[in-house]
Amino acid sequence: MGAVAGPEIERLVQLLARLPGLGPRSARRAALHLIKKREALMMPLSSALQVALDKVQVCKTCGNIDTQNPCTVCTDPRRDPSIIVVVADVADLWALERANATQGRYHVLGATLSPLDGVGPQDLTIDSLVARAHDPQVHEIILALNATVDGQTTAHYITDLLQDANVKVTRLAHGVPVGGELDYLDEGTLSAAMRQRTLF
């Protein structure tokens, strides 16, 4: 079947298809929607993308992305400087912020250790985390990493490096989610919940 649109539209579809969660079909629908709503959607989106390209930068302190450096979180005086929450990715930081889960500061590693994918300690911001942990202001490092093999390997690696820092190293609880029913949980989650039970 031949092309149904000009190369410019095909290029737009191809670029949209690279976004996570969008396949070729969804990208076509998104492209058509943008083109139909050119004034209301495409022009503001184009402008927002240009601003992001010009102004968004990585925070030199924590690794968050923002239009200021240090970022809004790092410069917020209401934040507790004694707590650093370690996350793998900016998406995890945003998730914790949406949940209003902590008033601490953050440290974004950039990924988790994954030998199969060729991601080693030198690819993460572990050195700067260790330096931050030695700041006398810092009393606790919370490892908010995924409960995957790579996430837990990274957590153990970081814990070993922080042995000589005068900080408490904690991790997120694993187990029964709020509103969860035991019958629907997998065996790994149930056994983790049983091992990490707490006083009632």
Side-chain angles (χ1 to χ4, degrees):
M1 185 178 140
V4 292
E8 298 84 1
I9 294 173
E10 286 299 325
R11 174 89 175 127
L12 176 62
V13 171
Q14 287 168 6
L15 288 170
L16 287 169
R18 290 186 192 174
L19 294 172
L22 286 187
R25 222 165 153 179
S26 303
R28 285 194 183 286
R29 277 203 304 272
L32 279 172
H33 188 70
L34 284 168
I35 291 164
K36 282 180 191 171
K37 306 274 186 186
R38 223 176 309 194
E39 300 290 323
L41 267 180
M42 195 183 256
M43 287 174 70
L45 178 62
S46 171
S47 172
L49 286 170
Q50 189 58 54
V51 169
L53 185 63
D54 294 340
K55 296 194 174 177
V56 170
Q57 50 192 311
V58 176
C59 175
K60 63 186 177 201
T61 307
C62 74
N64 186 19
I65 55 171
D66 203 340
T67 52
Q68 66 179 58
N69 202 343
C71 73
T72 308
V73 176
C74 286
T75 54
D76 186 345
R78 296 165 299 178
R79 294 277 171 173
D80 184 350
S82 70
I83 296 171
I84 295 177
V85 182
V86 180
V87 294
D89 197 78
V90 173
D92 302 327
L93 185 159
W94 288 1
L96 289 168
E97 283 299 288
R98 278 197 310 275
N100 201 18
T102 179
Q103 278 304 302
R105 302 221 168 129
Y106 290 95
H107 189 91
V108 180
L109 294 173
T112 50
L113 294 173
S114 180
L116 290 174
D117 298 322
V119 180
Q122 71 284 350
D123 300 309
L124 309 182
T125 59
I126 293 175
D127 289 345
S128 59
L129 170 63
V130 172
R132 290 180 74 191
H134 281 81
D135 184 327
Q137 266 195 312
V138 177
H139 300 304
E140 183 179 7
I141 302 287
I142 301 172
L143 299 174
L145 299 170
N146 292 332
T148 58
V149 172
D150 290 345
Q152 295 314 293
T153 301
T154 308
H156 288 298
Y157 182 83
I158 290 170
T159 304
D160 288 344
L161 291 179
L162 296 177
Q163 293 289 345
D164 63 337
N166 190 25
V167 291
K168 177 170 70 169
V169 181
T170 58
R171 69 173 187 175
L172 296 184
H174 299 154
V176 180
V178 173
E181 295 182 33
L182 298 185
D183 190 35
Y184 291 100
L185 298 178
D186 64 276
E187 290 82 0
T189 300
L190 278 173
S191 59
M194 190 57 82
R195 280 196 312 274
Q196 295 174 41
R197 60 191 182 278
T198 55
L199 286 170
F200 192 58

